[in-house]
Amino acid sequence: MSAQVRIGVIGLGFMGSRWAQALTEHPRVELAVVCDVRESHAKAEAEDLGTTWSADPAEAASDPTLDGVVVCTPEHLHVDAAIAALESGTPVAIEKPLAHELAAAERIRDASVKADVPVLAAHILRFEPRYAAIKSAIDDGTLGAVQAVRSERIGVVADQEVLRGRTSLPLYYGSHEFDLARWYAGDVARVAARRSRGVLQAAGYDVDDLYSVVLEFSGGAHGTCTLGWSLPNASAPFGTSGFTVIGEHGFARVEQGTTGLSVVGERGRKAVDTWYTPNVHGRTRGALANQVDHFVRVVTAEARPLCTAAEGVEAVRLCVAVERAAGSDAFVDVESIAA
């Protein structure tokens, strides 16, 4: 077995805690430190996972004894922790979106290039077997040249109980869909968009409810995307989501809004994750485990990042273009979006 690598996790929210748990289960990883500005939370996580803790993200990220750093802080805090690690020569995985704004995303990309240190933009859907199978079907010619894509990702009002308006709908949900669209069909040349408001405002959150987006790709393909987080909380556990790719020879479709499993008790239906971070016999499996394993291989120079910092930047640029298009009656050229 190859030597273990020492990896730290910065930010212990929903995804950070799951990254930390999955890293402890990896046979080639020593979870060296967990960090969160909430000191009591960091201490509790460290005790549960049998590691050390920190409440100082910059100090933890720049620790020269680390072989890798995973940044799972809120989006607007990604840039400082990521650059601290990169300037110390440490490979970084950064939860999507790469940053909260284009300028910050470009700073991360540029720091990666300057230090010649890899960044994995952690777009987890690239590691989910169904989405990866679509990419394989494109690459091996099964679908033929991609002609169109169609996607939807609409979550529930309860999302805002955690987010509380800290980010936009295109950045939070659109970063998933737009990264996949680019992965499958190439660069997006221009976008048009419309948005609606009302449901979440009535619930006390000053954010948009829904976006409808038209995509035109540089290679000639086209597509649509519907984004939202305004469904009733009684909706299906993961809202309604899916992705369709239509090629010259066929099509592929992922139905993400259903897990294929129903668990119902006295309190109603229970949300059970079977794809992303499922617990199988006490261990984390699914897309996150695949992503963790890939990052370990990036850290050890056995693999290049499946999604680079440069690709993460372009996903953020596309999100910004969609936001701008929603306030316009015209298509917006994606290349025109600058920091």
Side-chain angles (χ1 to χ4, degrees):
M1 181 182 295
S2 301
Q4 283 197 321
V5 292
R6 289 169 46 83
I7 296 179
V9 177
I10 314 298
L12 297 170
F14 180 85
M15 286 305 298
S17 294
R18 284 158 177 76
W19 266 94
Q21 180 63 48
L23 286 164
T24 65
E25 298 167 2
H26 196 286
R28 298 177 63 187
V29 172
E30 175 191 346
L31 180 63
V33 63
V34 292
C35 175
D36 197 282
V37 294
R38 300 166 295 175
E39 183 174 311
S40 61
H41 188 62
K43 286 181 178 179
E45 286 275 347
E47 183 176 347
D48 287 345
L49 297 172
T51 188
T52 60
W53 65 273
S54 171
D56 186 333
E59 181 180 65
S62 59
D63 181 347
T65 71
L66 295 179
D67 299 304
V69 169
V70 181
V71 177
C72 299
T73 61
E75 298 84 358
H76 65 286
L77 300 176
H78 284 182
V79 61
D80 290 339
I83 290 178
L86 291 168
E87 289 181 344
S88 296
T90 308
V92 185
I94 305 172
E95 267 298 319
K96 69 85 196 167
L98 192 66
H100 68 299
E101 62 181 10
L102 184 57
E106 290 181 337
R107 284 181 61 200
I108 293 171
R109 177 202 61 197
D110 294 347
S112 173
V113 172
K114 181 179 180 180
D116 193 24
V117 175
V119 167
L120 171 64
H123 285 267
I124 193 171
L125 295 186
R126 293 198 184 201
F127 297 90
E128 206 266 62
R130 297 173 298 174
Y131 292 98
I134 291 179
K135 177 62 171 170
S136 294
I138 294 169
D139 291 346
D140 69 16
T142 299
L143 298 185
V146 174
Q147 293 184 312
V149 299
R150 184 182 77 235
S151 70
E152 59 278 342
R153 180 177 294 271
I154 307 173
V156 298
V157 172
D159 288 343
Q160 291 303 319
E161 293 175 6
V162 175
L163 297 172
R164 298 194 175 278
R166 79 167 192 235
T167 187
S168 72
L169 184 50
L171 274 169
Y172 190 72
Y173 275 162
S175 56
H176 279 305
E177 307 308 298
F178 302 147
D179 176 66
L180 286 176
R182 294 187 69 258
W183 198 34
Y184 294 152
D187 290 336
V188 178
R190 61 181 196 154
V191 297
R194 292 292 182 269
R195 60 188 171 194
S196 58
R197 297 168 68 90
V199 172
L200 287 163
Q201 282 184 317
Y205 303 107
D206 188 24
V207 293
D208 299 312
D209 292 341
L210 293 161
Y211 271 70
S212 292
V213 182
V214 176
L215 308 167
E216 291 188 357
F217 294 84
S218 300
H222 50 85
T224 61
C225 177
T226 303
L227 304 170
W229 43 21
S230 57
L231 294 178
N233 293 337
S235 303
F238 297 95
T240 179
S241 305
F243 207 107
T244 302
V245 176
I246 302 170
E248 291 181 337
H249 305 321
F251 78 96
R253 168 76 179 167
V254 171
E255 291 284 353
Q256 190 183 317
T258 175
T259 65
L261 172 68
S262 294
V263 177
V264 180
E266 292 180 348
R267 300 177 65 180
R269 179 181 293 183
K270 179 181 179 181
V272 181
D273 176 14
T274 60
W275 293 107
Y276 302 103
T277 61
N279 183 292
V280 181
H281 306 306
R283 296 177 66 86
T284 302
R285 291 293 183 256
L288 180 60
N290 296 337
Q291 187 169 239
V292 166
D293 187 65
H294 176 71
F295 182 54
V296 171
R297 294 173 63 234
V298 169
V299 167
T300 58
E302 298 170 72
R304 298 180 62 186
L306 182 62
C307 187
T308 64
E311 291 175 289
V313 166
E314 294 312 311
V316 173
R317 191 187 313 277
L318 188 46
C319 293
V320 175
V322 166
E323 291 178 355
R324 188 168 299 179
S328 167
D329 290 330
F331 275 85
V332 169
D333 290 334
V334 176
E335 286 188 352
S336 72
I337 303 300

